[in-house]
Amino acid sequence: MSKIRQSIVVVGLGYIGLPTASILATKGHQVLGVDISEEVVATINSGKIHIVEPDLDVLVRSAVNSGNLKAACAPEQADVFIIAVPTPFRQSVPGAEKTPDLSFIDAATKAIAPVLREGNLVILESTSPVGTTERIAAMVAELRPDLGTSRTGAHPALSVHFAHCPERVLPGHIIRELVDNDRIIGGVTRPAAELARDLYRSFCNGGIFLTDSKTAEMAKLVENSSRDVNIAFANELSIICDRLGINVWELIELANKHPRVNILQPGPGVGGHCIAVDPWFIVAAAPKEARLIRTAREVNDAKPHWVLERVRAKAERFRDPVIGCLGLAFKANIDDLRESPALEITRELIASGIGEVMACEPNVEHQAGEIPLYSLEEVLREADILLVLVDHDEFKEIDRELLKEKVVIDTRGVWR
Ligand SMILES: NC(=O)c1ccc[n+]([C@@H]2O[C@H](COP(=O)([O-])OP(=O)(O)OC[C@H]3O[C@@H](n4cnc5c(N)ncnc54)[C@H](O)[C@@H]3O)[C@@H](O)[C@H]2O)c1
């Protein structure tokens, strides 16, 4: 592990930036966390956290108490700058092409440009379209022409180094995975990649693999696209099997007995802000070539509508059906509702007015946005139709006797 202590600015203190800033601080680096939200800054400076992630509270408290982590709304001079701001996509109108929204990265770059000095290292951690790290370097060159031509083996036009280090952590396991996961570091130049490697070595036990910035950017996008394509295959199978009267869960279990087959599990769609977003960055960059990746996105995006149609068909049997929606999060045993197909389906069901909707999300209290929540007991007692949208542990344990009189639509195979 590298023992060099550096001054580091981390821009963006969310699910990625805050754990990274805190772990760097506990390794002895002097860290300034920067966020545009004054509330986030105040919360962190008081040693508390604003997001739900196991063990993060302890890590942040110890980083702040050590004096090595402070938060502010504006950056200061430092040795290293890490950018971890959001990278969503834009869609001007429904059905239009989805394009990456780089406005957060541009704003972060403009914020750090005035305080950059010769020899600094700028690391982009946000998941980004290919070429974004070079784009940041070009922006800095334009904003700070005084940084001049490289005398340090840095970016060809600048004396500042630029690298991309994508993040692979799994929400719910971020602290462990930050330390244990293998990492890819792509430098705009080789010295940039090597400098970034030395920094990550100070807290990362996993393997560190160096490449150029474009390959590193693409690697992250490809990892999530690979998951998306494989899930789309399972989702398409579930629709085909429904038409052919085959139990898709049994089918996949049997097919996976083949030593070289590993089909994933279908669901009501694909959620979260990574797998459902990142493949579009590839499609936007190579629209004619990325045919499979685009189709997979479309298959997964269409799945919630197919689920809705199935509920609609079953609801026709009832005069005033009560529809119990089990789970709203985007995956099992978490409270994260971002881009959740379960939430989308529940909202659509409420808006459709085909029945009374009772939603149960055991990881969220009282209310999910505008949707009122009910206990599992209440939903099991009242619902005519039970729609399983998330495979939370609580649902797996439901007594099957209680389901006998119900119409069950199980999108996750909880009661396969
Ligand atoms: N969350 C994950 O599991 C995960 C995993 C891998 C990669 N990523 C990627 O990491 C990046 C960050 O994601 P996240 O989940 O941490 O986002 P987040 O929404 O949790 O946090 C982003 C933070 O950045 C702040 N911010 C926005 N613009 C800013 C600016 N100009 N200056 C300073 N702060 C600013 C926001 O206020 C917010 O606190 C994204 O590109 C995401 O795709 C996320």
Side-chain angles (χ1 to χ4, degrees):
M1 293 244 170
S2 166
K3 292 268 181 283
I4 302 163
R5 310 277 179 247
Q6 306 200 68
S7 58
I8 302 170
V9 164
V10 178
V11 187
L13 296 173
Y15 284 91
I16 298 303
L18 183 56
T20 305
S22 310
I23 218 153
L24 285 164
T26 58
K27 296 294 174 190
H29 299 288
Q30 202 61 47
V31 182
L32 179 71
V34 174
D35 204 285
I36 42 170
S37 161
E38 285 177 14
E39 209 179 317
V40 167
V41 166
T43 307
I44 292 164
N45 280 332
S46 68
K48 300 202 176 91
I49 57 172
H50 59 292
I51 48 181
V52 178
E53 177 61 33
D55 303 327
L56 182 62
D57 52 346
V58 179
L59 187 70
V60 170
R61 204 178 317 127
S62 103
V64 171
N65 287 345
S66 73
N68 286 346
L69 175 64
K70 293 191 173 60
C73 286
E76 292 172 4
Q77 288 191 336
D79 302 317
V80 181
F81 294 80
I82 297 177
I83 298 177
V85 295
T87 42
F89 57 62
R90 282 185 220 272
Q91 190 177 27
S92 42
V93 282
E97 286 299 305
K98 294 179 169 120
T99 53
D101 176 0
L102 297 183
S103 60
F104 296 92
I105 290 184
D106 289 353
T109 307
K110 281 183 191 145
I112 62 168
V115 295
L116 287 175
R117 291 175 301 179
E118 189 172 320
N120 277 167
L121 170 64
V122 177
I123 300 172
L124 175 65
E125 278 218 7
S126 303
T127 306
S128 300
V130 172
T132 308
T133 315
E134 288 178 348
R135 187 169 178 271
I136 291 177
M139 263 182 91
V140 170
E142 209 174 301
L143 292 164
R144 290 289 308 279
D146 58 299
L147 284 170
T149 308
S150 169
R151 286 177 293 279
T152 56
H155 182 260
L158 284 173
S159 51
V160 174
H161 302 267
F162 296 88
H164 178 54
C165 185
E167 190 50 76
R168 294 168 157 165
V169 288
L170 182 69
H173 302 269
I174 291 181
I175 311 299
R176 178 175 53 77
E177 292 208 350
L178 260 183
V179 174
D180 290 342
N181 284 357
D182 289 346
R183 298 201 78 126
I184 297 173
I185 297 180
V188 168
T189 59
R190 186 72 187 182
E194 287 167 0
L195 279 175
R197 176 194 56 203
D198 294 345
L199 175 67
Y200 283 91
R201 265 282 154 258
S202 67
F203 69 90
C204 176
N205 290 337
I208 297 182
F209 302 91
L210 303 194
T211 182
D212 58 83
S213 59
K214 284 165 78 172
T215 307
E217 287 158 348
M218 189 63 169
K220 170 70 193 176
L221 302 182
V222 161
E223 288 160 19
N224 282 341
S225 299
S226 162
R227 301 271 305 155
D228 200 43
V229 168
N230 283 295
I231 297 168
F233 181 66
N235 275 337
E236 188 164 291
L237 276 184
S238 72
I239 295 171
I240 296 169
C241 284
D242 187 69
R243 170 158 293 228
L244 302 182
I246 293 170
N247 179 326
V248 70
W249 315 103
E250 186 191 357
L251 172 84
I252 291 174
E253 202 178 320
L254 291 174
N256 283 348
K257 301 283 181 207
H258 185 292
R260 285 167 297 282
V261 170
N262 184 17
I263 303 170
L264 301 184
Q265 300 297 302
V270 169
H273 52 292
C274 289
I275 298 181
V277 173
D278 302 348
W280 288 117
F281 294 1
I282 300 179
V283 176
K288 284 209 185 100
E289 294 80 4
R291 291 187 298 161
L292 182 61
I293 295 170
R294 178 200 291 269
T295 303
R297 270 290 64 244
E298 286 168 354
V299 168
N300 287 333
D301 272 355
K303 190 73 191 290
H305 306 291
W306 181 83
V307 173
L308 278 167
E309 283 315 309
R310 290 204 60 210
V311 179
R312 211 183 288 276
K314 301 280 185 203
E316 277 171 6
R317 294 192 208 162
F318 297 87
R319 187 191 290 262
D320 296 307
V322 176
I323 304 161
C325 293
L326 297 185
L328 296 180
F330 83 79
K331 65 176 188 174
N333 305 322
I334 60 166
D335 66 343
D336 196 337
L337 305 178
R338 289 184 287 182
E339 310 281 334
S340 168
L343 189 66
E344 181 190 341
I345 290 167
T346 305
R347 279 203 176 114
E348 293 273 334
L349 276 175
I350 294 170
S352 72
I354 56 175
E356 185 192 341
V357 175
M358 293 178 76
C360 169
E361 174 44 74
N363 299 299
V364 177
E365 279 181 16
H366 311 307
Q367 192 95 9
E370 75 289 4
I371 302 174
L373 297 176
Y374 297 85
S375 71
L376 185 53
E377 292 70 32
E378 286 171 310
V379 174
L380 287 174
R381 192 174 57 234
E382 303 293 335
D384 303 303
I385 299 172
L386 274 178
L387 174 61
V388 185
L389 293 168
V390 189
D391 44 344
H392 289 317
D393 288 344
E394 290 87 342
F395 305 152
K396 292 181 186 158
E397 286 154 16
I398 292 171
D399 180 358
R400 307 286 164 94
E401 283 297 310
L402 298 173
L403 310 176
K404 273 193 170 154
E405 306 295 313
K406 318 269 183 202
V407 172
V408 171
I409 303 173
D410 182 359
T411 70
R412 294 281 187 177
V414 167
W415 306 316
R416 58 189 70 172

